[in-house]
């Protein structure tokens, strides 16, 4: 079971959360200006990476807030957790921390 | 005396405590401390089961969790019965009842053994080859036949009477395995002050040291050292010791699954104890000290009872004080077997010879064996065994440099001990996604780079010498504590003496035997009956990946997950394909390491506690009236209210008539309710719903439609504007959590600037629907402060006041097409108000009705139910809700999607009504609709029936359907094909009753 660091409540077990899909997919300001292809891309196209993934979680059985997490989809290591509206972290820097092994990654998680 | 094969002294058994047990109906004696396996061996019983496919007699092969053969059913009755229990793990208790499996009529004489002679017809992949045709015969014939002939234990026929518990725990350092490395690791970590948990699958800690009789540690016997270590750990408040506890799964973020067995060893378990406790441990750091497994040798007839792993035989002698046989042949490529031979000889078992595949075995253990007078035969293989239900002799042959066999001779024996080397237990490490590395010398995989905060210690990372194992355990324990933020461990060394150090040595694959390979069975996977020949055949048939070979031959896929077989299978594939082992890879290790009861996973989630049940405040009243209930999501809803002698059809007919003619009362409390409040509430509603809300005045209701961003209808419900900044939103039954999550998602992540608060109020309000021409007359005397006249309170309005003295939000709304009210009152007053309304309605013969009548009434009016008419691919216009889409609104969730050309096409499925020619013919919901019933199959399908009922008011069945281009087909005749006939149906408008809506406005 994952231990997910909620930026409002701290580390809590996965059971308390619900997954919310890829993060940083902003709804277009004015959808009517998008052609069908661009709108389809907004609706359906996701990056689905093997590696670091910025994704949304909701602490549904806790504070009920949505927030963002950066998770390695290979090892499930969580490298960052931040509030909605905050900038996406430097993914290359997180990848370097991940390469340092699970303990380095855990250190980063704690300092967040 | 407990059996002729019991040694006069020694072992960890309690000779003062004799124990009676039954195996296959026969009574035996053992001692406290025995396993079922050791107690049977003490009685000279080695024949333990019949094999999976060929029904070959099989004996006890090992002394631990890796046992593939000796599986039994254990339990005094079917409510306490467990199949496939490994005899080697079942502790003996007084009155234990065990039975062998997969044999008929008896273990000694098994009719299914005919499969062994038919074995040329069961080659590798025989499932795929033999039973392909005809397809239908698979379900009807082949599968049941195979299931009855091949198989393991039988599932019990009664529900499990035992209780299982679940527990979460946190610790700084979790040590898995309580052998020499694990004990030392736990001690080091404990001294740092870290919270330590130590789990071991055996009833007592010590691991391999429980069978160690020679070595001393710090001048003490191994067993005394273990006792001291355990006492030191027990004395510490920061240590939790869990014996009989298998760490079976390594999950992400250092979550470890443990299964603790609390009562399986007890004759009379105390009632307060659960049978098993399922632990989920979140560990800061993990030390895996899981030890190693011994590898069998693959040689012809290596599955005969009496063939046993060498170190397991040593464990039986040293730990349990039993002799597995009288005269043994040892077959090895590994020094460890010499240690076993020496210990067995000391216990009085004659060692006929040690056949060593190595041409030049050397070292202190080999010398010791020779000095003890044991006949050591280098470059020698066991090429076969003889005997019916037990080994009587082994055939030995010298192996030439080219692999040929020479100088064959038979040696009488009742025991063949084998050892191909050690396989470190990397299962948990691999489950944690750590990378494995192949060690050429050990010919085994060892842990490489870890993926979790974890480290391996001792034999499970390839260390062999006891001194190295203990030192490594202590170092890794200290390292783990340090990584978890604890330090200050005093350095410590452990002086190990009295044991002969040796080269582990190893052999992988099938041993050379010089016999016709197509005629002999040399088993690799004992539990799934896979031979070396099967694996070679798979490679000849083109399988290259070990993952494919595994699935094709089923090697490693039994309940033991290939603990003893995977490495040998790899060796054979490697040899057949002439490729190195690392190139062939390794099959994936998956949890659980050993089987875990379903009961442990389920825990308390059984029976009444399996799923929560939601009931309304009026539930009790409905139950007292004898209502039939139906499940809607997790709600219990009154389905209909039968009177004496009525079936559902009769009750629903009566209820419908009552609503249309006078008045009915319906519990609508399950409707989802959300309070939307704030300065920007109307703006928020405009964006979330298709409808326009800005101009809706306080005191008015509106039917709202909600889409997903992809344009498909997600939910609907009536919304009341209570004030400029306050909406009372209702959703479908069971839809509220989904709708609230949808709203919160947009509010929190897209429109954080809006001042809006959302509150779930589903359980705050009881909702009493009073529907029918007399509805107003019934409630009028009970209501205070609200003018109910049609002018003051027209259809689709809401007012706040009191009913029976209780505050109410009174909706004038109808889901029946009749004059109707929905009385919202605080839930605690729900039943009282309901009963008051019911009493007031007596004069009008008020009739309680259930969900079935509600469905019929709404279908007569063509009102949709989201999830019944819609299926996640319908846009509003498809179901006739185009009118509810605010045309002037620039944007709302789903708007950009529904304007796509695709959704404007005239041939989309559209909601229509269907009428059958025969009034009494009720179509089946879900039935397909076609234009030409005579066309050949597969037919061109135009759509499907979504709702279908008998309408007693109309005297005719009615149906709603989604039909391609449906609105342009009004008046056409289509067909609903059913078995043996096609039902003609006329396409009509989806509204059958009071098309003008006169009654609604009454
Ligand atoms: Zn939270």
């Amino acid at each position: 079971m994952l231990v997910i660091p909620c930026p409002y409540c701290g580390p809590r077990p996965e059971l308390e959360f619900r997954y919310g899909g890829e993060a940083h997919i902003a709804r277009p300001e004015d959808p009517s200006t998008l052609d069908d292809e661009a709108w389809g891309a907004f609706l359906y196209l996701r990056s689905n990476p093997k590696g670091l993934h910025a994704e949304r979680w909701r602490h549904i059985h806790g504070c009920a807030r949505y927030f963002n997490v950066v998770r390695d989809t290979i090892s499930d290591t969580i490298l960052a957790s931040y509030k909605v509206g905050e900038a996406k972290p430097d993914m290359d820097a997180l990848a370097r921390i991940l390469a340092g092994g699970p303990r380095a990654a855990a250190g980063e998680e704690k300092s967040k | 005396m407990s059996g002729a094969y019991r040694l006069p002294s020694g072992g960890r058994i309690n000779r003062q405590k004799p124990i009676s047990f039954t195996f296959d109906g026969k009574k035996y004696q053992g001692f406290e401390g025995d396993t079922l396996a050791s107690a049977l061996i003490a009685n000279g019983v080695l024949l333990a089961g019949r094999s999976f496919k060929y029904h070959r007699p099989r004996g006890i092969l090992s002394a631990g969790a890796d046992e593939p053969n000796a599986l039994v059913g254990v339990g005094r009755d079917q409510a306490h019965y467990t199949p496939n229990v490994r005899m080697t793990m079942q502790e003996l208790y007084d009155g234990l009842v065990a039975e062998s499996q997969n044999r008929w009529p008896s273990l000694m004489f098994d009719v299914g053994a005919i499969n062994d002679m038919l074995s040329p017809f069961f080659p590798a992949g025989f499932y795929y080859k033999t039973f392909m045709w005809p397809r239908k015969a698979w379900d009807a014939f082949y599968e049941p036949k195979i299931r009855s002939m091949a198989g393991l234990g039988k599932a019990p026929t009664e529900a499990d009477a035992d209780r299982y518990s679940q527990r979460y725990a946190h610790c700084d350092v979790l040590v898995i395995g309580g052998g020499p490395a694990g004990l030392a690791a736990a001690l080091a970590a404990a001294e740092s002050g870290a919270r330590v948990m130590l789990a071991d699958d055996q009833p007592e800690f010590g691991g391999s040291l429980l069978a160690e009789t020679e070595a001393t540690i710090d001048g003490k016997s191994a067993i005394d050292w273990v006792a001291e270590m355990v006492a030191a750990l027990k004395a510490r408040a920061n240590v939790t010791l869990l014996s009989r506890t298998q760490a079976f799964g390594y999950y992400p973020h250092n979550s470890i699954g443990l299964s603790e067995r609390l009562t399986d060893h007890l004759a009379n378990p105390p009632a307060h104890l659960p049978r098993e406790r399922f632990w989920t441990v979140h560990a800061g750091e993990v030390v895996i000290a899981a030890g190693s497994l011994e590898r069998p040798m693959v040689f012809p007839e290596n599955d005969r009872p009496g063939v046993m792993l060498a170190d397991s035989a040593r464990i039986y002698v040293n730990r349990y004080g039993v002799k597995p046989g009288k005269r043994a042949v040892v077959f090895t490529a590994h020094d460890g077997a010499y240690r076993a031979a020496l210990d067995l000889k000391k216990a009085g078992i004659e060692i006929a010879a040690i056949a060593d595949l190595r041409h030049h075995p050397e070292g202190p253990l080999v010398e010791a064996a020779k000095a003890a007078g044991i006949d050591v035969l280098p470059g020698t293989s066991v090429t076969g065994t003889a005997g019916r239900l037990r080994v009587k002799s082994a055939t030995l042959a010298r192996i030439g440099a080219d692999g040929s066999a020479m100088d064959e001779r038979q040696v009488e024996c009742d025991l063949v001990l084998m050892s191909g080397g050690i396989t470190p237990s990397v299962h948990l490490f691999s489950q944690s996604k750590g990378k494995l590395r192949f060690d050429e010398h050990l010919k085994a995989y060892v842990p490489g780079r870890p993926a979790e905060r974890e480290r391996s210690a001792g034999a499970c990372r390839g260390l062999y010498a006891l001194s190295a194992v203990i030192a490594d355990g202590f170092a890794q324990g200290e390292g783990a504590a340090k990584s978890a933020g604890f330090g200050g461990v005093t350095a410590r060394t452990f002086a190990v003496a009295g044991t002969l150090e040796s080269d582990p040595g190893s052999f992988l694959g099938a041993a050379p035997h010089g016999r016709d390979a197509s005629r002999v069975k040399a088993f690799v996977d004992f539990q799934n009956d896979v031979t070396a020949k099967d694996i070679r055949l798979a490679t000849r048939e083109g399988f290259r990946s070990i993952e494919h070979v595994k699935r094709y031959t089923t090697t490693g896929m039994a309940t033991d997950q290939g603990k003893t077989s995977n490495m040998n299978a790899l060796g054979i594939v490697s040899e057949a394909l002439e490729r190195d082992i690392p190139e062939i890879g390794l099959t994936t290790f998956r949890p659980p390491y050993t089987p875990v009861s379903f009961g442990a996973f389920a825990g308390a989630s059984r029976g009444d506690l399996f799923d929560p049940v939601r009931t309304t405040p009026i539930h009790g009243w409905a139950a007292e009236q004898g209502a039939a209930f139906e499940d809607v999501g997790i709600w219990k809803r009154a389905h209909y209210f039968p009177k004496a002698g009525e079936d559902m059809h009769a009750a629903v007919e009566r209820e419908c008539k009552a609503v249309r003619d006078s008045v009915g009362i319906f519990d609508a409390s399950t409707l989802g309710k959300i309070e939307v409040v704030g300065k920007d509430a109307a703006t928020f509603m405009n964006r979330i719903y298709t409808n326009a809300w800005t101009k809706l005045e306080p005191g008015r209701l509106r039917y709202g439609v909600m889409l997903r961003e992809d344009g498909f209808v997600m939910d609907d419900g009536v919304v009341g504007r209570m004030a400029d900044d306050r909406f009372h939103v209702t959703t479908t039954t069971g839809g509220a959590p989904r709708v609230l999550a949808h709203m919160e998602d947009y509010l929190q992540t897209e429109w954080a600037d809006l001042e809006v608060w959302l509150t779930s109020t589903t359980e705050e309000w009881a909702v009493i629907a009073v529907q029918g021409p007399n509805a107003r007359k019934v409630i009028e005397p009970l209501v205070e402060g609200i003018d109910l006249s049609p002018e003051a309170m027209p259809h689709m309005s809401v007012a706040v006041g009191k009913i029976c003295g209780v505050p109410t939000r009174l909706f004038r709304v109808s889901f029946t097409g009749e004059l109707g009210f929905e009385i919202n009152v605080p839930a605690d007053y729900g039943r009282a108000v309901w009963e008051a309304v019911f009493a007031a309605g007596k004069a009008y013969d008020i009739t309680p009705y259930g969900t079935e009548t509600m469905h019929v009434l709404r279908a007569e009016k063509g009102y949709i139910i989201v999830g019944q008419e819609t299926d996640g691919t319908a846009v509003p216009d498809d179901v006739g809700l185009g009118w509810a889409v605010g045309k002037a609104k620039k944007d709302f969730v789903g708007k950009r999607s529904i304007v796509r050309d695709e959704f404007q096409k005239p041939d989309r499925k559209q909601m229509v009504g269907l009428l059958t020619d025969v009034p009494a013919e009720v179509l089946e919901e879900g039935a397909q609709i076609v234009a030409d019933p005579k066309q050949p199959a597969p037919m061109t399908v135009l759509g499907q029936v979504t709702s279908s009922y008998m309408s007693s008011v109309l005297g005719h069945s009615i149906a709603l359907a989604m039909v391609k281009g449906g609105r342009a087909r009004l008046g056409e005749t289509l067909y609903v094909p059913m078995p043996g006939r096609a039902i003609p149906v006329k396409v009509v408008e989806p509204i059958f009753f009071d098309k003008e809506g006169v009654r609604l406005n009454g």
Side-chain angles (χ1 to χ4, degrees):
Chain A
M1 195 191 316
L2 306 188
V3 177
I4 298 171
C6 171
Y8 304 95
C9 309
R12 306 293 307 163
E14 187 184 345
L15 288 174
E16 296 181 5
F17 297 84
R18 191 159 302 161
Y19 186 63
E22 185 165 8
H24 305 293
I25 311 276
R27 188 173 190 272
E29 264 316 294
D30 183 358
S32 67
T33 59
L34 272 66
D35 62 17
D36 279 359
E37 199 176 324
W39 182 248
F42 161 70
L43 282 182
Y44 300 118
L45 294 189
R46 297 294 180 267
S47 61
N48 192 27
K50 183 179 182 183
L52 292 185
H53 185 231
E55 60 198 23
R56 307 178 335 140
W57 286 83
R58 185 175 180 213
H59 196 185
I60 183 87
H61 301 299
C63 63
R65 305 288 288 265
Y66 280 89
F67 60 95
N68 297 328
V69 147
V70 177
R71 180 179 60 99
D72 174 29
T73 58
I74 301 167
S75 67
D76 276 329
T77 307
I78 291 175
L79 289 125
S81 157
Y82 51 102
K83 295 174 184 174
V84 168
E86 290 180 1
K88 189 174 180 177
D90 180 345
M91 299 294 263
D92 292 336
L94 293 180
R96 285 193 294 278
I97 291 165
L98 182 67
R103 289 184 184 91
E108 174 63 18
E109 187 183 307
K110 263 183 199 153
S111 73
K112 270 279 169 186
Chain B
M1 186 65 207
S2 92
Y5 286 78
R6 182 71 68 182
L7 289 163
S9 65
R12 306 282 303 152
I13 45 163
N14 183 354
R15 288 166 199 267
Q16 314 312 312
K17 288 263 176 76
I19 283 176
S20 301
F21 67 100
T22 309
F23 176 57
D24 277 349
K26 198 173 164 196
K27 267 204 180 269
Y28 296 95
Q29 294 267 308
F31 286 130
E32 188 182 83
D34 264 325
T35 61
L36 180 56
S38 69
L40 283 173
I41 290 173
N43 288 281
V45 177
L46 242 74
L47 177 63
R50 288 278 175 167
S51 73
F52 180 68
K53 199 159 94 178
Y54 302 127
H55 289 247
R56 287 165 71 96
R58 288 284 165 79
I60 299 161
L61 187 87
S62 80
D66 51 342
E67 176 60 40
N69 287 339
L71 304 183
V72 289
V74 174
R76 59 183 186 273
D77 56 42
Q78 286 291 306
H80 298 86
Y81 184 86
T82 309
N84 301 336
V85 171
R86 290 151 297 164
M87 278 185 182
T88 53
M89 296 301 285
Q90 176 62 54
E91 292 174 58
L92 211 61
Y93 58 80
D94 212 39
L96 173 85
V97 178
E99 60 176 22
S100 60
Q101 305 180 155
N102 202 33
R103 83 291 186 264
W104 186 84
S106 78
L107 201 48
M108 306 287 176
F109 177 76
D110 175 14
V111 168
I114 187 84
N115 283 9
D116 198 18
M117 280 176 271
L118 298 175
S119 64
F121 302 106
F122 300 128
F126 83 108
Y127 292 100
Y128 310 110
K129 288 168 178 164
T130 315
F131 304 112
M132 292 296 287
W133 186 91
R135 175 62 187 84
K136 274 184 182 158
W138 175 255
D139 297 331
F141 180 72
Y142 294 133
E143 210 210 351
K145 283 285 169 216
I146 294 169
R147 282 215 183 281
S148 72
M149 280 303 283
L152 299 168
K154 292 204 164 44
T157 53
E158 281 174 39
D160 191 341
D162 278 309
R163 200 164 58 78
Y164 299 82
S165 76
Q166 297 181 330
R167 194 151 161 183
Y168 291 84
H170 295 260
C171 64
D172 298 309
V173 178
L174 169 67
V175 181
I176 297 168
L183 287 172
L187 187 76
E191 281 182 359
S192 76
R195 286 172 305 162
V196 177
M197 290 179 78
L198 172 63
D200 189 89
D201 70 335
Q202 292 287 313
E204 52 178 340
F205 292 94
S208 61
L209 297 180
L210 296 173
E212 182 55 61
T213 51
E214 298 289 312
T216 62
I217 307 162
D218 291 343
K220 292 177 272 274
S221 74
I223 216 70
D224 287 346
W225 182 81
V226 168
E228 257 180 43
M229 294 289 280
V230 173
L233 289 168
K234 262 192 187 144
R236 290 186 157 273
N238 59 331
V239 178
T240 305
L241 294 174
L242 295 171
S243 58
R244 298 190 177 94
T245 302
Q246 179 71 59
F248 64 82
Y250 204 127
Y251 302 94
H253 295 189
N254 265 4
S255 312
I256 317 295
L258 309 178
S259 129
E260 183 185 10
R261 307 181 305 276
L262 290 114
T263 64
D264 275 1
H265 63 291
L266 299 175
N268 297 299
H272 74 278
L273 277 187
R275 180 179 174 219
E276 287 174 30
R277 188 175 286 135
F278 183 107
W279 293 75
T280 303
V281 178
H282 288 290
E285 292 281 331
V286 174
V287 178
I288 302 176
S292 61
L293 298 169
E294 193 167 29
R295 200 180 299 156
M297 296 292 273
V298 179
F299 60 93
E301 296 111 34
N302 63 340
D303 65 327
R304 216 177 287 286
V307 179
M308 188 180 275
L309 290 167
D311 201 59
S312 297
R314 178 172 164 265
I315 290 169
Y316 283 117
V317 168
N318 290 349
R319 178 170 167 191
Y320 298 105
V322 296
K323 292 199 293 188
K326 290 177 174 158
R327 185 177 151 89
V329 164
V330 181
F331 183 24
T332 187
H334 174 228
D335 282 3
Y338 287 78
R339 198 191 309 276
L342 284 162
D343 284 3
L344 263 64
K345 186 166 171 29
K346 210 176 298 168
I349 298 163
E350 192 184 339
I351 306 296
I354 297 179
D356 197 325
L357 256 187
R358 298 173 295 184
H359 286 273
H360 304 287
E362 53 191 17
L365 275 165
V366 178
E367 294 314 313
K370 285 178 182 164
I374 296 174
D375 194 8
V376 176
L377 308 171
T380 301
S381 197
V382 174
T383 63
T385 64
R388 197 172 81 85
L389 297 176
R390 170 106 199 212
V391 167
K392 282 203 168 74
S393 69
T395 309
L396 272 55
R398 276 198 308 117
I399 300 299
D402 58 348
S404 61
M406 298 163 285
D407 308 334
E408 278 207 348
R409 64 185 171 102
Q410 289 215 332
V411 178
E412 266 185 46
C413 61
D414 62 353
L415 200 56
V416 175
L417 305 183
M418 56 182 175
S419 178
I422 61 159
T423 305
S425 287
V426 295
H427 307 69
L428 288 170
F429 174 82
S430 180
Q431 283 180 24
S432 78
K433 297 183 184 168
K435 286 265 175 296
L436 293 167
R437 176 175 65 75
F438 188 71
D439 184 303
E440 282 294 342
H441 186 69
L442 287 173
K443 293 201 168 51
Y445 281 96
V446 294
R449 188 185 150 92
E452 292 278 352
R453 299 178 64 183
E454 162 278 331
R455 58 198 83 211
S456 297
C460 71
R461 72 182 190 101
L463 300 178
Y464 188 64
L466 182 56
S467 53
V469 164
I470 297 179
D472 188 49
F474 195 84
Q476 302 295 349
E478 185 186 0
K482 202 174 267 175
S483 296
F486 297 84
V489 180
T490 316
R492 195 168 155 182
T493 55
F494 300 87
V496 175
T499 177
L500 298 171
E501 297 295 334
S502 68
D503 173 3
S506 62
F507 181 78
L508 210 53
H513 52 69
R515 293 168 62 184
D516 178 352
S518 71
R519 302 190 75 91
V520 301
K521 285 200 185 77
F523 284 89
V524 177
D525 183 327
F526 294 93
Q527 203 174 84
N528 261 355
D529 265 354
V530 182
T531 63
K533 185 171 63 184
D534 293 328
I535 293 172
R536 290 198 192 100
L537 177 64
T539 62
R540 281 203 303 281
E541 291 185 355
F543 292 92
R544 290 292 177 273
S545 154
I546 190 67
E547 292 282 6
H548 294 157
V549 171
K550 166 181 163 172
R551 280 157 184 81
Y552 191 59
T553 63
T554 74
T555 188
M557 290 177 70
T559 65
D560 68 344
Q561 293 199 56
K563 287 181 181 63
T564 52
S565 61
N566 283 342
M567 289 311 293
N568 278 330
L570 266 184
I572 294 166
V573 172
S574 159
E575 194 192 358
L577 298 179
E578 297 180 350
R579 286 164 64 199
D580 288 341
I581 297 227
E583 276 181 61
I584 292 157
L586 185 62
T587 53
T588 311
F589 292 97
R590 292 191 176 86
Y593 176 70
T594 53
V596 179
S597 313
F598 284 118
F601 283 101
S605 304
R606 300 167 64 184
D608 288 346
L609 300 180
F610 177 67
D611 213 12
V613 172
R614 291 179 92 179
T615 57
T616 75
I618 296 144
H619 182 89
W621 186 90
E624 285 162 22
Q625 300 291 314
F629 290 92
E630 69 165 341
D631 292 333
V632 181
I634 57 174
W635 286 102
K636 294 276 178 212
R637 299 197 75 180
H639 195 195
Y640 53 96
F641 290 81
K643 292 197 163 170
E646 278 185 342
D647 60 4
M648 177 170 114
H649 183 76
V652 169
E653 188 178 326
R654 174 179 51 74
E655 291 170 16
C656 286
K657 199 164 153 22
V659 176
R660 295 281 181 231
D661 290 351
S662 179
V663 63
I665 183 167
F666 175 71
D667 181 4
S669 303
T670 62
L671 283 177
K673 294 154 218 107
I674 298 166
E675 194 90 340
V676 178
V677 182
K679 174 167 78 66
D680 300 315
T683 306
F684 178 74
M685 292 294 288
N686 275 333
R687 294 184 190 179
I688 282 285
Y689 281 90
T690 61
N691 317 65
W693 300 94
T694 315
K695 288 183 186 153
L696 184 73
E697 288 175 8
R700 301 294 304 187
L701 301 175
R702 181 160 286 169
Y703 169 74
V705 177
M706 177 182 287
L707 308 182
R708 302 190 314 216
E709 197 71 274
D710 58 13
F712 298 125
V713 175
M714 172 180 166
D715 205 89
D716 67 351
V718 169
V719 177
R721 188 157 197 178
M722 307 310 297
D724 279 341
D725 62 350
R726 182 177 292 266
F727 290 84
H728 178 123
V729 167
T730 70
T731 74
T732 54
T733 292
R738 189 168 56 240
V739 169
L740 185 60
H742 176 80
M743 288 179 167
E744 283 284 356
D745 191 345
Y746 281 91
L747 189 57
Q748 290 186 34
T749 71
E750 297 291 350
W751 309 320
D753 55 314
L754 295 187
E755 264 188 43
V756 177
W757 288 267
L758 306 171
T759 309
S760 165
T761 53
T762 301
E763 284 169 350
E764 306 295 316
W765 298 105
V767 185
I768 301 160
V770 183
Q771 302 276 314
N774 289 319
R776 184 184 291 112
K777 290 180 200 152
V778 171
I779 66 165
E780 208 150 31
L782 306 174
V783 173
E784 301 162 51
I786 303 173
D787 180 354
L788 290 184
S789 68
E791 300 72 38
M793 193 161 186
H795 180 53
M796 296 305 268
S797 59
V798 53
V800 175
K802 283 191 171 176
I803 184 163
C804 311
V806 172
T808 181
R809 285 182 180 175
L810 184 64
F811 283 26
R812 175 157 176 207
V813 68
S814 172
F815 199 43
T816 58
E818 300 298 327
L819 163 68
F821 296 89
E822 286 183 2
I823 306 162
N824 290 273
V825 288
D828 287 350
Y829 295 100
R831 180 163 175 174
V833 173
W834 171 282
E835 289 185 20
V837 174
F838 189 70
K842 281 268 165 73
Y844 303 92
D845 199 17
I846 192 167
T847 301
Y849 66 97
T851 49
E852 189 63 23
T853 291
M854 177 269 283
H855 275 268
V856 176
L857 297 173
R858 66 90 202 174
E860 287 172 349
K861 288 292 294 177
Y863 299 149
I864 70 158
I865 289 194
V866 170
Q868 184 151 344
E869 271 62 58
T870 68
D871 60 359
T873 65
V875 295
D877 185 56
D878 297 341
V879 283
L881 294 177
W883 61 268
V885 177
K887 301 285 180 299
K889 287 206 294 179
K890 189 166 157 45
D891 188 21
F892 55 82
V893 173
K895 160 122 186 173
R896 175 62 188 82
S897 291
I898 57 170
V899 301
R900 287 176 55 214
D901 291 346
E902 183 62 32
F903 293 142
Q904 322 309 323
K905 290 189 176 162
D907 67 340
R908 284 189 63 76
K909 279 188 190 171
Q910 294 164 337
M911 187 171 81
V912 293
L914 299 179
L915 287 175
T916 52
D917 288 352
V918 181
E921 174 105 66
V922 182
L923 297 171
E924 276 197 32
E925 288 179 356
Q928 303 291 298
I929 299 162
V930 301
D932 171 13
K934 298 205 172 68
Q935 62 184 308
M939 296 186 178
T940 302
V941 171
L942 296 176
Q944 74 278 356
V945 177
T946 57
S947 294
S948 177
Y949 309 95
M950 186 63 210
S951 166
S952 53
V953 172
L954 298 168
H956 201 296
S957 73
I958 55 167
L960 297 173
M962 295 297 289
V963 176
K964 273 191 180 179
R967 287 201 286 266
R969 292 179 187 273
L970 296 181
E972 277 183 31
T973 296
L974 299 174
Y975 296 87
V976 174
M978 297 301 287
R981 66 194 179 117
I983 305 166
V985 291
K986 200 164 97 193
V987 181
V988 297
E989 289 220 42
I991 173 163
F992 301 93
F993 182 74
D994 186 27
K995 289 192 169 67
E996 297 74 31
V998 178
R999 306 173 69 94
L1000 207 59
N1001 293 309

